[in-house]
Amino acid sequence: MARHLITSALPYINGIKHLGNMVGSMLPADVYSRYLRQRGHEVLYICATDEHGTPAELAAKEAGLPVDVFCARAHDAQKAVYDGFELAFDHFGRSSSAQNRDITQEFARALAANGFIEERAIRQVYSLDDERFLPDRYIVGTCPHCGYDKARGDQCENCTRVLDPTDLIDARSAISGSSRLEVRETKHLFLLQSKLAGEVEAWIDANSADWPTLASSIARKWLTEGLQDRAITRDLEWGVPVPADTWPELAAEGKVFYVWFDAPIEYIGSTKEWSDADPENRDWKSWWYAADDTVRYTEFMAKDNVPFHTVMFPATQLGTREPWKKVDFVKAFNWLNYYGGKFSTSQRRGVFTDAALEVLPADYWRYFLMANAPESDDTSFTWELFASSVNKDLADTLGNFVNRVLSFSRKRFGEEVPAGAAAGAAEARLGEQIAGLLAEYEGHLENLQFRKAAQALRALWSAGNSYLEEKAPWMEIKTDPEGAALTLRTAMNLIHLYAVVSEPFIPASARAMREAFALPSDDATWVGPDEARALASVPAGTAFTVPPVLFAKISDEELASYVERFGGDPDAA
């Protein structure tokens, strides 16, 4: 089996993330990782909090905490939420780790040795009132391209265009709000991307044929516009320091590396954090160094992160002239909006992941988000759509099937799976249908098509309901008890199959379904086509229990309370 390295874009440290962040990177990476593990692959799923840069310092200042203390607390708070969503990271690290510091500095030394880093004197914005140079994100103003009035000095959040601070209209300090800014000369390190442009283009040509159009088109747009040399250091108190053995003057001035230089390297740093926790049994380099023939690397991210992952980070890796593992497949997502407008961490618009878990358990959100993942276009969250999906798919199609099968069987045949008659034509048709739907489901997951995978999973659940309606055991029991017992035994085997194959999407509910049956040994990780046709994994005589309701319907009153709490359009369809 292949070894699969999976990373999701690092969530930034300045607060709990919203549902758009979740569905745009971490959740689909978790679904894919779980699926691959269940199919027998060796998987390493790596993520971390992205802790350096201007917003971290500003958030710490607002909280009245030293930045290192703020980041440690924020990391733990985010990790608790991701645990609540059952994101099965192999390691969830921190970009402020010693491992990331050391590897980032080694990357910089190698790039400098190969002629791809240059020290340059530049003119940079200085705040007279703050008495300091302002890094790009410490400057806000109006975007010259789209007119957004809260654009940052490095990138416009609205149109995603990369900016320089001097591009902004009506620029002001993000620290004090002062517009008393002037441009002064200072020195910084530049990554000479222009010298690597041809290599990056050749690499993209050779590797992007299977990427989603969203990812490849953004990467090629950057190439078409031309790769510019980019400053990779900043005047900040918090970050990976420039190594004094290579740049003593800049180190003495307290320069640190730009967050978008060290953040992608943290994928490697986090892997080393994981490895260092058990060095006798884990080898981080086997995943990242000279691993092109042994590892398949998949990255998950929203579209605003694509340029950095498909152009800037590969340029950094190529420039070291060392065999670092580069991405094989980039799974990029569009935006999940909130009633047609953007989710926003800074403006607290939309549903945030901690609040989501206060409202309903994780599986409700996991299923809905993946069934509506913004893969081909932007999609919009509304409470009305969420309630409809929960009620129809989870409560009615799956939850009700499980409850009525187990409850009816217990009432009529006791707390063991009934034997009943031998399987007949209806069961043979059902087995073929299930095997076919399972193959579709597998194919969509293999191809990282999550909305289609959710549709196929829902079709598997629906097939059980159709079979139950066809056989109608509540009527069969009156004239053919053995036939009714067969129907219920077959339906119970469907429940067990659903438990196994639904786990990537709804792991807690999958456990509840599996634990309903007291099988002496239940180590099934997946269901093969022959097993799907046979539907015999749970034999007659197996004790079972009726689990609590898997999914409760969202009432009109509850829906109204959610809209009132979080905002929305009460008249939305």
Side-chain angles (χ1 to χ4, degrees):
M1 290 289 185
R3 303 173 78 217
H4 286 267
L5 174 63
I6 296 171
T7 63
S8 53
L10 309 186
Y12 199 70
I13 198 68
N14 64 333
I16 298 298
K17 303 298 108 176
H18 54 66
L19 294 181
N21 300 129
M22 179 64 71
V23 74
S25 59
M26 290 176 284
L27 181 55
D30 181 71
V31 170
Y32 187 54
S33 298
R34 286 176 176 274
Y35 169 72
L36 291 175
R37 290 189 190 106
Q38 287 187 249
R39 299 308 304 273
H41 297 284
E42 184 179 0
V43 176
L44 186 65
Y45 176 22
I46 293 293
C47 193
T49 39
D50 180 5
E51 300 189 6
H52 294 140
T54 306
E57 289 194 3
L58 292 176
K61 183 175 183 291
E62 183 177 343
L65 293 170
V67 66
D68 59 336
V69 174
F70 169 82
C71 288
R73 293 182 182 179
H75 169 88
D76 291 346
Q78 287 199 29
K79 181 61 165 58
V81 173
Y82 305 145
D83 289 345
F85 271 86
E86 295 207 35
L87 301 184
F89 304 115
D90 288 286
H91 187 70
F92 185 70
R94 301 182 60 188
S95 69
S96 60
S97 68
Q99 291 88 343
N100 190 46
R101 177 199 63 211
D102 294 345
I103 296 171
T104 296
Q105 291 179 342
E106 283 302 314
F107 263 73
R109 291 185 187 100
L111 287 161
N114 295 324
F116 296 118
I117 286 183
E118 182 176 279
E119 185 176 327
R120 294 180 182 176
I122 65 168
R123 294 176 64 76
Q124 188 175 339
V125 175
Y126 184 88
S127 171
L128 297 174
D129 291 328
D130 298 314
E131 297 183 331
R132 60 176 293 173
F133 285 103
L134 296 181
D136 296 351
R137 284 198 172 203
Y138 274 53
I139 307 164
V140 294
T142 300
C143 174
H145 303 288
C146 71
Y148 181 59
D149 64 358
K150 296 182 181 64
R152 301 185 306 259
D154 62 341
Q155 187 178 29
C156 176
E157 185 184 56
N158 186 58
C159 69
T160 76
R161 292 288 292 269
V162 174
L163 302 171
D164 283 321
T166 53
D167 294 335
L168 293 174
I169 301 167
D170 297 327
R172 58 195 180 276
S173 167
I175 301 172
S176 62
S178 172
S179 59
R180 293 207 318 139
L181 309 178
E182 66 181 31
V183 177
R184 295 184 181 180
E185 187 173 280
T186 185
K187 291 183 178 179
H188 280 286
L189 298 179
F190 278 72
L191 177 63
L192 305 184
Q193 293 186 135
S194 59
K195 293 175 67 173
L196 291 160
E199 294 179 53
V200 173
E201 184 170 12
W203 175 78
I204 289 176
D205 287 344
N207 291 279
S208 65
D210 296 330
W211 295 0
T213 301
L214 179 63
S216 59
S217 62
I218 291 173
R220 293 194 178 281
K221 179 174 180 288
W222 264 48
L223 290 172
T224 300
E225 292 175 353
L227 293 191
Q228 305 298 314
D229 300 340
R230 190 166 181 84
I232 58 167
T233 51
R234 294 292 187 270
D235 294 284
L236 289 169
E237 298 173 2
W238 177 244
V240 174
V242 169
D245 58 8
T246 310
W247 295 281
E249 181 183 345
L250 297 186
E253 294 175 3
K255 306 287 187 184
V256 300
F257 285 107
Y258 174 42
V259 63
W260 264 112
F261 182 74
D262 84 84
I265 296 172
E266 167 58 8
Y267 295 135
I268 306 173
S270 186
T271 307
K272 191 170 189 301
E273 293 173 50
W274 165 82
S275 180
D276 286 351
D278 186 8
E280 292 186 4
N281 297 300
R282 299 172 180 174
D283 178 12
W284 68 276
K285 272 200 168 182
S286 72
W287 292 92
W288 282 104
Y289 203 82
D292 284 347
D293 296 330
T294 59
V295 173
R296 178 168 174 80
Y297 177 22
T298 305
E299 292 177 344
F300 289 79
M301 70 200 69
K303 59 186 176 183
D304 58 330
N305 284 327
V306 169
F308 300 101
H309 286 80
T310 61
V311 177
M312 187 171 176
F313 186 41
T316 300
Q317 292 177 298
L318 288 164
T320 65
R321 298 297 186 242
E322 295 181 38
W324 292 106
K325 177 65 185 175
K326 289 172 282 296
V327 65
D328 294 298
F329 191 85
V330 177
K331 178 61 177 179
F333 290 85
N334 288 284
W335 303 126
L336 175 68
N337 293 319
Y338 187 75
Y339 283 92
K342 283 189 175 182
F343 278 87
S344 174
T345 300
S346 59
Q347 299 175 32
R348 296 293 297 178
R349 173 180 168 79
V351 184
F352 286 72
T353 49
D354 56 346
L357 293 177
E358 292 173 6
V359 170
L360 287 166
D363 280 359
Y364 289 72
W365 300 104
R366 288 178 63 103
Y367 175 78
F368 172 81
L369 290 171
M370 296 315 302
N372 295 275
E375 291 178 292
S376 57
D377 296 291
D378 291 351
T379 59
S380 189
F381 177 91
T382 70
W383 282 104
E384 294 76 18
L385 178 61
F386 176 70
S388 175
S389 180
V390 165
N391 291 349
K392 291 178 181 177
D393 297 349
L394 296 177
D396 284 346
T397 305
L398 178 61
N400 187 50
F401 176 80
V402 172
N403 183 263
R404 66 175 174 161
V405 166
L406 296 180
S407 296
F408 185 73
S409 187
R410 182 178 62 181
K411 179 180 179 180
R412 293 292 187 166
F413 295 102
E415 295 182 344
E416 292 184 354
V417 176
E427 288 70 37
R429 289 193 302 271
L430 175 66
E432 288 297 332
Q433 182 186 17
I434 294 295
L437 290 171
L438 183 58
E440 289 182 27
Y441 178 55
E442 293 168 355
H444 294 319
L445 284 174
E446 294 286 347
N447 292 321
L448 290 86
Q449 296 292 322
F450 294 103
R451 291 183 70 151
K452 291 180 179 179
Q455 291 168 7
L457 182 59
R458 183 169 59 244
L460 279 165
W461 300 339
S462 295
N465 283 276
S466 297
Y467 169 74
L468 210 61
E469 292 300 319
E470 175 190 350
K471 295 295 294 292
W474 49 89
M475 299 298 294
E476 260 184 316
I477 194 74
K478 299 176 182 179
T479 58
D480 184 6
E482 290 295 291
L486 163 65
T487 300
L488 292 168
R489 187 185 80 235
T490 302
M492 290 188 197
N493 273 277
L494 277 175
I495 293 171
H496 187 266
L497 180 145
Y498 295 160
V500 175
V501 304
S502 302
E503 183 181 332
F505 282 79
I506 49 172
S509 304
R511 282 195 302 275
M513 286 187 281
R514 187 180 285 227
E515 291 169 0
F517 302 102
L519 291 168
S521 176
D522 189 6
D523 55 1
T525 59
W526 200 250
V527 179
D530 291 339
E531 295 172 298
R533 292 185 182 93
L535 290 172
S537 296
V538 182
T542 301
F544 71 90
T545 57
V546 181
V549 173
L550 292 180
F551 298 99
K553 281 192 171 185
I554 297 173
S555 67
D556 290 343
E557 292 76 16
E558 288 170 321
L559 173 60
S561 72
Y562 300 152
V563 171
E564 181 179 2
R565 174 180 173 182
F566 294 96
D569 179 4
D571 298 321

